[in-house]
Amino acid sequence: MMKPLALSLTSLLALAACTTTETEVPVEVRIANATPAVTVTARGETMPVGTPNADAADDPAIWRNAANPAASLIVGTDKKAGLYVYGLDGKTRDFLDAGRVNNVDLRDGVAVNGQAGILVVASDRNDVANAKLALFHLDSVTAKLTALGKVDAGKGEAYGICLYKAPEATYAFIVLKDGTINQVAIDASGATPTGRIVRSMKLGTQSEGCAVDDRTGILYVAEEDVGLWRFDARASGATTPTKIASADGKHLVMDAEGVAIAAIGEKDGYVLVSSQGDNAYVAYRLSDDAYVGRFRIVDGAIGGSEETDGIELMLGDFGPAYPGGLFIAQDGHNAAAAQNFKLLAWDDIARALGLPN
C-alpha cells in the first residue's frame, strides 16, 4: 500500500527534476500525467474491520442470493486477523479468527462435505515460507463461516487468490508475492479437503490481484509495478502471459492491485483494475483488451475510497440499491475509523463511464 502524499505536486515535480535520471520516473510525476477520471459515489459501506490503525482490510468476495438478491452476502479479509461476513446493509454477520489471510474468493455450487454449497478460499500466509489455501464453507442462511482445513499451495508467501470453476474441477490460482502463480486443483467434498498443484506460471515481480472469467477460461493477474496480464486458465493451457496494459502512469498507475470482472452475456464485458497509485479504477474491454475509462470513488453521502487493494464485482440484481450489479472496493483511508469496504452500484459506474446498459 502506498503512503499518502504529503508534499505539494509543485514541490514533488521540482524534486523529481533534480533527482531523476532518464530511466527513473518518480510515481508523483506519473500521477500528474494520469488520464483524467470520472467520479462516482458509494451507496453503502461495511462496518470497519477489527484491526485499528493498520493496513488491515484487503480483499472482498460476493455471494449473490438469487432467490432474494437483497439478502446477498460479502466476505472480506482483515489480513491481520481473519474473515468477516457482511450483509448488503454493511453490518457484520460473522467473524472467523483465521489469522493472516490476505485475499479471498468464493464459488457457489461446489461440493462441500458431500453436498453442493458455497466454498470460500483464502490465501493463508500465517507461514510466510509455505503458502497455503484456507478453505471454508459459507452457510447462506446463517451467514456463518466454518473452517474446512488447509491445503499446501507451494513454497513462498501467499498473496493473491482467485477461483476457477471449470467443467472438470474447481481450481484455485494462488499468487505468491514473488510473482509465481500456482494452479491448485481443490476438492472439499470429503471430511478433509485436498489440493494438488497442477501447473505453475510466473510473472517477473511482485504480483497479487487476480480474477478468472469462468465463461472463457481466462485468468487476469496484476503485476503491481508492471501492469495487467492474462493467462489461459485451463490446466492444459499455455503458461505464457499476454500483457493487456502497462502501469505507465497514464491509464494505470502503479501499484496495480485488485482485479475484477464485469461479465456480460456469454463472453463480453470488462476487466477492472485498482490503480492504487492515484486512487482510481481502470476498465478494459474483454473482447479486445481496449482501454475503456477510469473512475474514482469520491465523498458523497458515504465517504470515498483511497489506496484500494482488493476489489470485486458481480453483475445482476442485488436489490433496490444495486439493481444492475455490485462493485466493492477496499478503502485504505476510512476517516478516523479502521479500514472497511465501500459498496457501489454498477449502474452508477457504467453511466459515469458512458458504457451501454
Side-chain angles (χ1 to χ4, degrees):
M1 175 170 289
M2 297 185 65
K3 303 299 183 185
L5 300 179
L7 300 175
S8 70
L9 182 58
T10 301
S11 299
L12 290 166
L13 291 173
L15 180 61
C18 295
T19 61
T20 304
T21 68
E22 289 184 356
T23 59
E24 295 173 338
V25 181
V27 68
E28 293 81 9
V29 174
R30 289 194 295 273
I31 292 173
N33 292 333
T35 305
V38 298
T39 59
V40 292
T41 56
R43 296 193 181 188
E45 64 181 332
T46 68
M47 297 292 291
V49 297
T51 303
N53 303 318
D55 176 20
D58 196 281
D59 191 48
I62 299 170
W63 174 74
R64 180 176 175 272
N65 187 332
N68 182 8
S72 299
L73 298 170
I74 301 162
V75 179
T77 59
D78 178 336
K79 61 188 177 186
K80 312 291 186 183
L83 289 169
Y84 283 87
V85 181
Y86 304 99
L88 295 190
D89 59 3
K91 294 181 180 179
T92 300
R93 300 288 302 276
D94 190 29
F95 171 75
L96 184 65
D97 182 354
R100 300 178 71 235
V101 287
N102 197 59
N103 281 193
V104 65
D105 201 2
L106 62 80
R107 287 293 188 273
D108 201 351
V110 177
V112 180
N113 286 337
Q115 59 184 6
I118 306 167
L119 178 66
V120 177
V121 182
S123 55
D124 186 299
R125 59 176 182 175
N126 286 290
D127 179 352
V128 296
N130 297 284
K132 293 187 182 299
L133 301 173
L135 279 64
F136 309 86
H137 173 246
L138 174 62
D139 188 313
S140 61
V141 176
T142 64
K144 302 297 183 184
L145 286 165
T146 301
L148 301 174
K150 299 181 182 182
V151 299
D152 293 333
K155 296 293 184 181
E157 184 174 356
Y159 220 41
I161 187 75
C162 50
L163 298 184
Y164 172 35
K165 191 177 177 184
E168 75 281 3
T170 298
Y171 297 99
F173 288 93
I174 185 161
V175 182
L176 306 184
K177 200 168 186 178
D178 69 352
T180 298
I181 305 160
N182 291 331
Q183 182 171 359
V184 185
I186 52 178
D187 184 353
S189 61
T192 302
T194 61
R196 176 175 58 89
I197 297 176
V198 297
R199 63 175 185 154
S200 295
M201 297 161 280
K202 186 73 170 70
L203 292 173
T205 61
Q206 183 168 308
S207 306
E208 181 178 5
C210 68
V212 181
D213 190 338
D214 287 350
R215 305 168 306 163
T216 60
I218 296 177
L219 164 69
Y220 299 88
V221 184
E223 187 178 0
E224 295 186 2
D225 293 346
V226 177
L228 178 66
W229 302 84
R230 57 179 164 86
F231 291 86
D232 189 335
R234 297 173 298 174
S236 60
T239 58
T240 303
T242 299
K243 183 180 281 188
I244 294 173
S246 295
D248 60 1
K250 295 179 181 179
H251 298 332
L252 184 60
V253 179
M254 64 179 192
D255 298 334
E257 291 280 349
V259 181
I261 295 170
I264 300 174
E266 293 185 359
K267 61 180 180 179
D268 293 331
Y270 310 94
V271 57
L272 278 68
V273 188
S274 169
S275 178
Q276 191 190 76
D278 73 328
N279 303 326
Y281 311 86
V282 191
Y284 301 92
R285 194 163 47 234
L286 294 178
S287 60
D288 57 5
D289 300 336
Y291 166 76
V292 171
R294 290 161 39 86
F295 66 95
R296 289 192 177 91
I297 304 172
V298 298
D299 290 349
I302 304 294
S305 68
E306 297 82 30
E307 294 191 8
T308 293
D309 283 325
I311 60 174
E312 184 58 290
L313 171 60
M314 184 178 289
L315 303 192
D317 180 15
F318 281 85
Y322 311 98
L326 175 65
F327 176 83
I328 304 175
Q330 179 260 5
D331 183 8
H333 288 285
N334 186 33
Q339 296 177 345
N340 73 345
F341 300 92
K342 297 299 193 281
L343 281 58
L344 289 85
W346 170 249
D347 293 345
D348 294 343
I349 296 170
R351 188 179 307 111
L353 292 174
L355 303 180
N357 293 326

